Amino acid sequence: MTDSPHPFSHQADPHKRARLRWRARRGLLENDIIVERFFNRYEESLSDEDVASLGQLLDLSDNELMDLLLARKELDGELDTPPMQRLLAMLRSV
């Protein structure tokens, strides 16, 4: 028997998934391209922890996010956590 996603999880709710994709739309085309590729590759396998980390990244300005995605800058402060490092590695891999 396989475990199904929690009923309130990102994976179990198509509306939450659609809202996350909408929220991920950025002002910089470069960010949009990377995030779109990320969703195409990983959306089906994102955990709620991944979604929470992505939400934190999406709170950053477009330029801050681009610097992280392009490895011009590394995570620091409150953002420098293992879940965030994992998510950033996934974003950088696309």
Side-chain angles (χ1 to χ4, degrees):
M1 183 172 164
T2 60
D3 293 322
S4 63
H6 188 273
F8 300 108
S9 77
H10 167 78
Q11 290 300 354
D13 187 341
H15 298 291
K16 284 184 180 182
R17 289 169 60 177
R19 280 193 301 270
L20 182 64
R21 272 190 173 262
W22 179 256
R23 183 173 176 226
R25 295 175 54 124
R26 307 305 294 195
L28 289 175
L29 179 61
E30 296 86 347
N31 286 348
D32 270 345
I33 291 169
I34 292 170
V35 172
E36 182 64 26
R37 287 178 183 167
F38 168 80
F39 277 126
N40 289 341
R41 182 179 294 174
Y42 295 112
E43 182 178 18
E44 296 294 322
S45 63
L46 292 177
S47 69
D48 288 341
E49 184 176 58
D50 294 333
V51 171
S53 294
L54 183 58
Q56 288 181 283
L57 283 180
L58 295 176
D59 286 341
L60 299 173
S61 73
D62 283 341
N63 289 330
E64 289 174 309
L65 179 59
M66 186 171 59
D67 286 345
L68 285 170
L69 295 177
L70 298 179
R72 292 187 214 160
K73 178 180 163 186
E74 293 301 324
L75 295 166
D76 60 3
E78 293 179 5
L79 293 180
D80 191 10
T81 64
M84 189 68 76
Q85 292 165 3
R86 178 181 176 278
L87 183 74
L88 186 56
M90 291 165 64
L91 281 157
R92 287 176 175 173
S93 75
V94 296

